[in-house]
Structures are given as C-alpha cells and as structure tokens.
Amino acid sequence: MTAVCKHEGLNQWVDEMATLCKPDQIRWCDGSKEEYDRMTALMVESGAAIPLKKRPESFLFRSDPTDVARIEGRTYLSTLSEEDAGPTNNWIDPTQLKETMKGLYNSCMRGRTMYVIPFSMGPIGSPLAKIGVQLTESPYVVCNMHIMTRVGDRVIEALGDDGEFIPCLHSVGAPLEPGQKDVPWPCAPIKDKYISHFPEENLIWSYGSGYGGNALLGKKCLSLRIASSMARREGWLAEHMLILRLISPEGRKYHIAGAFPSACGKTNLAMIQPTIPGWKAETLGDDICWMKIRSDGRIHAINPETGFFGVAPGTSSVSNPVANEMLKEKTIFTNCALTDDGDVWWEDMDGPPPAHAIDWKGRDWAPGSDEPAAHPNARFTSHVSQCPSEAPDWEDPEGIPIDIFIFGGRRSSVIPLVYESFNWDHGVFMAASASSEATAAILDKVSPIRRDPFAMSPFCGYNMGDYFQHWFEMGDRLGENAPRIFYVNWFRKGEDGRWLWPGFGENSRVLKWMCERIDGKAGAKQTPVGLMPGEGDLDLEGLSIPSEDLRKLLEVDPQLWQGEIPDIEEYFEQFGSHLTDRMRTQLDAFKERLAKA
Ligand code: SAT
Ligand code: MN
C-alpha cells in the first residue's frame, strides 16, 4: 500500500504533469517486491519481456533497433546563458526547449499508466543522499529503477511535507490510440528524442527513449549532470567513477575511485579479483561516486546507486567472474541474444557460441553471421546485493574515505600502462587531458579518439572549464589529505594488434603499486608525463609477460606525446576565459618537460 503523500509541492507537480501528459491512470510506486513482480508479469503478458528458463527471476527485453544507447546529440543542458553550459554541452534556451517539449509531452501518455517513482540516490538519510521523483509510463523503467535506486514509501516518508526533491519527467513518447495494439518497446523517432536538463531549477525532462541513461533518470541525468552542478554550488564532487576497496595481506584497506568513459571496463575493475596472492577486493560501486569533505578533512565517497547497469558482451568468467556469478538470477537483460534452451547469450561469453539463437533484433542467428547476436551495448541490470564481491558496508551513510583517484581511457597507442601525478594540480591536468577511443555506449558517431576529461565529457552539468577550476579548488581544501592521482591505460596494443597487457585480474598488479606508493614502499622514476614504475617496482611474480611488451607498456615516447599536444591545446582553447590559468601553467610545464626529454 502506498503511503499517502503529504508533500504539497510534489502532489501539485504530479497533477500538473498528468494534466499535460494525460495518462489513463496514475500509480504511485511503493518499491515492494510485489510491485516488481506485478510489473514483470504485466510485461511478460504483453510480450515486452521474455522470462528466462535458465536464470531464475530473470527477463530478456529487446529494444527498438533505434533505441539502443545514450544519444549525446539529443542530450541538452539548458541554462539561461549558453556560456554556463559551456562548449561541450548541447544548449537550447530553456523557454524555447520547454515550449518544444511541452508540445511533445501533450497527451503523450494517452492509453497508458503514469507511474510515480519516488527514489533516493544514496542511503536514505545520508548527508550525501538526494531524492528524486520520476514520472514515466514505462514499466521497464519502473523495474530497472527498483534495482538501480532506493524506491518507494520510505522515500515519501523521508520527504515529509516539504523536503527537497528533483523532479524527473520521463516519457517514451508513444501514446496509444483507443484499440491500438502496443509494440514491445515503444519509443519516439530519434529526431523527437530530447534528454534535457535544467540545472538552475534542478529539473530533468526526458522524452522519446526508453534505454539506459536516457530513461533511468536517477543515473546520468540526476547523479551526474544535475548533481555535478549542485556539487559545484555546494562544494562537493559528483563523478563518473567506480569505487573499489583493496585489502592487502596485512589487512590494510585502500579505497580507490576510478573514472573511465562508458564501456571501458569500469564494471570489470569494480569487481576485480586480484591475482596477487593475499590481496582481496570489495566492490562499492561501478559507475557513479558522490564525494564530500567530512570533518576528518578527508574526502568520503558513496555510491548513490544500488545496482549495476553493465555492458553484457565481453562478460565472462575470464573478464569478470564476479559478474558472471551475479547474473545467474534476478537480472534484467536488454538486447542480449536468446538461446533455444531459454538462456541469454552474448559475444565473448564462456564456452562455444550456440548453434542457433534469436538475435537482439528477434531474428534467427547462427555462428558466422555478419552481425553480432547481442547488441554491443546490450546490458544487464542487477542489484548490488547479488554481487559476490559486494563490500559489507556498501550502504554506510557516512561514505568511505578515498585514498586514490584513477583516470583513464581506451588508447591502443601512446599512453603507457600507468603513471602517477607529481602533485594535485598535475593530476587535474592529467585527468583533464584524458582521451579515449569510441565505444558502443553512445549511439552517435564520435571521432575515433576523443578528449574525455575526467570521463565526464557527456555528463558535466555546467561549463567544463569551470569544472576544472572546481577540481583545483577541491585540492586546495583537501591539502595534505588529498588522494593521490594516477592515470592508467589497460588497452595498449602492439604493432601486431595484440593487447600488450593481460588486464582483468592482473590489473591488481598496477593497483598494488599505487597502494605501495601511498605507503612509500614502492619506487618510481621521473618521466615527462609523470612518475612511473621503474625496473622491479611492479609486482610481476607469477605473470609471464615478454620483457619487450613490458618495455613498450612503460615507455614514454616524447615524440608521440608531442603529437598529442595540438589536440589537447585545441580542446582547452574552446573554454576561452573559463580555462583557469592553473591549467595553462600545467600545460606549459608539460610542454617544457617534453621538449627537454
Ligand atoms: O546508458 S548509460 O548511460 O546508463 C550507460 C553508460 O553509457 O555508461
Ligand atoms: Mn557510465
């Protein structure tokens, strides 16, 4: 039974939006298991969901073929002044954007039920948590929000009669005329999709897509775009980072927050199983990290989410044995292939491919087909409690003090395996000049290599130039307590196209070096890009890696790096007066070090 909402502001907003969208009925979500089961039953009956015989309480969904990933070209940051959105965001004047979207929202939920989803990002009552309320007519979104966030009555209770909430209006944009038969995955054409953010009002309006970050509004929209803008105003950080705890054989705990672009292995790293004897790892989060400086002077992190929305293809007992285990039950799969015996399948899963399957578009598929069986951005949605490596205290409302920041991207050349910043400002420069090769997590075509500072390029809710300044200032406030900053690249390839580094569990060797750097136990050598493990500094015991590969992985070629400079300069240039002199100082110093090398 849903608690009666006594929050007048919330009730009024729901009424107004219902008047605009004109659903047949309104249902308040209570977050219960019964509700989840009712919704999945509804979707099985309608044909939107396929129950999986091989995985208890698990379902497969196939999206519309045009609605398979975030669409950055249709994502907007609507501030009063265009300058406040900055050059990396799409901008439309708020009045104009609202006019356009109101036209689209008008009657958009006809023939459907509007669900009111009260949700909390972060443990309810935590000083780091925020409450949102999403309106949607998508039962798929309701179920995913159940897994990814804390939904229901306890959120309404926490709101009281005047608590602060972030309104998140969502519609798939596919009204049903009387008698019209529904499709399994209703959505609007790409030209009508809008994923809009109004950070000055803490408001989110999303229209036309039912997929991932476009539709699960607690994720990128609230927890990154809106939250980063709040964080700047309020002096904290909302970042696109995994959170991981490493435990040494002596029992010392190290907390790592790592930022990588979408589909660059954040989930795998968050669930790493160290290959070094005696070292253990625990998972705290795989995508989003909110951090505040607490009374001990250190920066504490929480994972505002409660689930994983991870890329399925490539997940195997080699790449991610933990996820492999986690996905055995109670999981929503989207755009994976379906096997004849009622299981899901994707490329690079364990074992041989099935002789026959139904691909993500619902067509017959057999090995050797031109197209992959699963969409490359096929996803799983699983609750944290199902993760075998879950940290027992992952819901600690106080957050966990961070020791190490890692930044990175996917680069087959130039960027070495690992390096450490000389100091905080240099680390901010390293993160700001991060780059990555394109992946399937975004639908738009992007250049083969794009600058993706802090892995926040698609998610920063204000001018990215000001964001850099915010990071510099956080360092000033943290002083001696500032986490150390590292950059990694697991994706370096040899001239023959081979991966040079084995990755996955072996990445623990690199993490161990970072931990030992903190304790002053491991050495490093000076290079123009930063501090790097010298001969014997990385623990490579038990790993057979050709010394030539290792040399390549840890090589800094000043000439190749020179080639990066014009791109970095051009990237920084676009921020004009919003680029702080502190960043220019770092760039100049880097150029000087390269010139001397
Ligand atoms: O679609 S999501 O934004 O949720 C996933 C991602 O791109 O990282
Ligand atoms: Mn992400």
Side-chain angles (χ1 to χ4, degrees):
M1 204 10 227
T2 301
V4 179
C5 175
K6 297 192 200 73
H7 194 296
E8 259 177 56
L10 172 54
N11 287 332
Q12 197 186 332
W13 175 68
V14 173
D15 280 349
E16 275 172 29
M17 294 305 111
T19 305
L20 175 64
C21 301
K22 301 187 186 63
D24 285 6
Q25 44 184 334
I26 303 175
R27 284 250 187 290
W28 288 67
C29 296
D30 61 15
S32 65
K33 171 87 166 63
E34 292 72 37
E35 178 173 85
Y36 183 90
D37 292 343
R38 220 180 318 119
M39 304 291 281
T40 52
L42 201 81
M43 290 187 284
V44 169
E45 201 190 330
S46 78
I50 301 167
L52 295 168
K53 286 195 208 98
K54 292 279 173 170
R55 300 189 193 229
E57 292 182 66
S58 300
F59 302 89
L60 171 66
F61 291 81
R62 294 189 197 113
S63 81
D64 184 279
T66 64
D67 198 27
V68 293
R70 286 184 294 103
I71 311 183
E72 295 183 3
R74 306 296 310 169
T75 302
Y76 296 91
L77 200 77
S78 185
T79 43
L80 289 172
S81 140
E82 183 169 2
E83 194 173 335
D84 290 338
T88 58
N89 283 303
N90 299 313
W91 179 85
I92 299 177
D93 169 77
T95 313
Q96 190 194 328
L97 182 55
K98 282 187 185 165
E99 267 321 295
T100 307
M101 291 191 73
K102 273 187 197 158
L104 293 165
Y105 281 130
N106 187 3
S107 307
C108 67
M109 294 189 189
R110 216 169 232 149
R112 301 186 186 276
T113 300
M114 173 194 266
Y115 299 99
V116 182
I117 315 174
F119 64 95
S120 177
M121 300 312 297
I124 295 169
S126 160
L128 290 100
K130 299 276 178 201
I131 286 176
V133 180
Q134 176 162 355
L135 307 181
T136 183
E137 77 282 60
S138 163
Y140 168 85
V141 166
V142 173
C143 288
N144 274 273
M145 288 291 285
H146 263 240
I147 299 176
M148 298 303 295
T149 73
R150 298 158 175 92
V151 168
D153 288 356
R154 44 201 187 124
V155 179
I156 294 290
E157 271 154 39
L159 260 186
D161 49 21
D162 64 352
E164 197 192 333
F165 72 97
I166 297 162
C168 310
L169 173 60
H170 172 250
S171 171
V172 294
L176 281 176
E177 298 308 322
Q180 186 184 340
K181 191 175 163 359
D182 202 3
V183 293
W185 187 281
C187 65
I190 292 184
K191 68 166 182 41
D192 289 337
K193 292 190 211 284
Y194 286 88
I195 295 94
S196 305
H197 308 74
F198 305 91
E200 284 142 347
E201 304 168 59
N202 288 348
L203 174 67
I204 301 164
W205 278 11
S206 167
Y207 182 88
S209 167
Y211 206 94
N214 300 334
L216 313 178
L217 301 188
K219 206 170 179 44
K220 312 295 186 181
C221 298
L222 192 159
S223 292
L224 290 177
R225 299 193 190 95
I226 294 297
S228 63
S229 143
M230 294 174 100
R232 181 196 177 203
R233 293 194 295 265
E234 298 167 2
W236 51 285
L237 292 171
E239 300 298 327
H240 190 206
M241 288 177 169
L242 65 92
I243 314 171
L244 169 69
R245 170 183 293 141
L246 269 192
I247 309 172
S248 74
E250 299 76 40
R252 166 131 155 71
K253 292 176 179 166
Y254 303 85
H255 293 105
I256 300 177
F260 299 83
S262 300
C264 286
K266 274 208 306 298
T267 307
N268 292 347
L269 185 57
M271 297 176 187
I272 191 171
Q273 295 294 286
T275 49
I276 315 171
W279 284 75
K280 286 203 296 276
E282 290 174 356
T283 308
L284 289 137
D286 81 328
D287 197 36
I288 297 170
C289 174
W290 285 359
M291 288 171 279
K292 264 189 185 157
I293 302 176
R294 304 301 309 267
S295 52
D296 61 1
R298 302 185 65 194
I299 192 153
H300 289 240
I302 61 160
N303 168 16
E305 301 190 287
T306 55
F308 305 106
F309 181 68
V311 178
T315 305
S316 71
S317 61
V318 174
S319 69
N320 193 336
V322 172
N324 221 34
E325 207 43 49
M326 173 175 86
L327 304 180
K328 287 201 166 136
E329 57 173 14
K330 295 186 192 139
T331 298
I332 293 175
F333 295 93
T334 310
N335 285 345
C336 301
L338 178 67
T339 63
D340 296 347
D341 59 351
D343 198 2
V344 278
W345 190 79
W346 49 74
E347 276 64 26
D348 297 321
M349 199 188 231
D350 288 327
H356 172 263
I358 304 293
D359 76 0
W360 69 277
K361 287 183 179 167
R363 306 169 306 184
D364 285 314
W365 181 92
S369 158
D370 293 345
E371 289 180 46
H375 186 278
N377 193 41
R379 297 272 173 165
F380 55 77
T381 324
S382 274
H383 194 265
V384 177
S385 59
Q386 276 171 239
C387 174
S389 63
E390 138 200 43
D393 54 346
W394 70 276
E395 291 205 90
D396 184 349
E398 295 300 313
I400 271 100
I402 295 296
D403 302 294
I404 292 171
F405 283 128
I406 306 181
F407 296 93
R410 183 185 282 273
R411 288 290 304 267
S412 48
S413 65
V414 187
I415 317 291
L417 179 63
V418 60
Y419 52 102
E420 179 186 348
S421 75
F422 299 120
N423 50 47
W424 181 268
D425 277 23
H426 176 230
V428 172
F429 167 75
M430 280 167 22
S433 48
S435 60
S436 195
E437 284 150 22
T439 72
I442 42 171
L443 194 57
D444 321 58
K445 286 205 167 30
V446 295
S447 57
I449 292 174
R450 75 160 170 181
R451 295 282 138 201
D452 191 353
F454 293 79
M456 279 290 277
S457 183
F459 308 121
C460 185
Y462 56 104
N463 189 309
M464 184 72 96
D466 299 335
Y467 169 92
F468 299 153
Q469 176 63 21
H470 182 48
W471 264 84
F472 282 125
E473 285 169 12
M474 289 299 284
D476 295 340
R477 282 174 56 203
L478 282 163
E480 288 291 291
N481 289 315
R484 296 270 273 266
I485 301 179
F486 296 83
Y487 197 99
V488 302
N489 176 25
W490 315 129
F491 301 95
R492 186 77 184 255
K493 284 183 176 171
E495 262 116 56
D496 49 1
R498 220 168 22 91
W499 302 112
L500 292 178
W501 180 249
F504 310 121
E506 304 295 4
N507 291 339
S508 57
R509 299 175 187 278
V510 175
L511 303 181
K512 181 186 173 198
W513 178 70
M514 295 175 186
C515 296
E516 289 181 341
R517 288 290 300 154
I518 301 221
D519 293 341
K521 285 192 203 151
K525 60 176 190 204
Q526 293 258 347
T527 80
V529 301
L531 300 163
M532 284 177 55
E535 189 72 43
D537 289 328
L538 274 185
D539 180 347
L540 298 173
E541 194 158 337
L543 179 71
S544 69
I545 177 167
S547 57
E548 179 53 21
D549 286 5
L550 198 63
R551 196 191 57 74
K552 271 238 152 64
L553 280 163
L554 296 173
E555 162 190 82
V556 173
D557 181 335
Q559 210 119 48
L560 281 179
W561 275 93
Q562 292 280 10
E564 296 279 303
I565 297 285
D567 200 45
I568 297 174
E569 280 182 324
E570 194 190 324
Y571 186 81
F572 283 170
E573 216 53 61
Q574 61 179 331
F575 299 107
S577 63
H578 286 265
L579 188 77
T580 154
D581 283 337
R582 258 164 110 166
M583 194 66 88
R584 292 207 170 81
T585 306
Q586 286 299 322
L587 178 61
D588 290 343
F590 181 43
K591 280 159 66 175
E592 221 166 279
R593 288 194 304 271
L594 277 181
K596 281 203 220 125

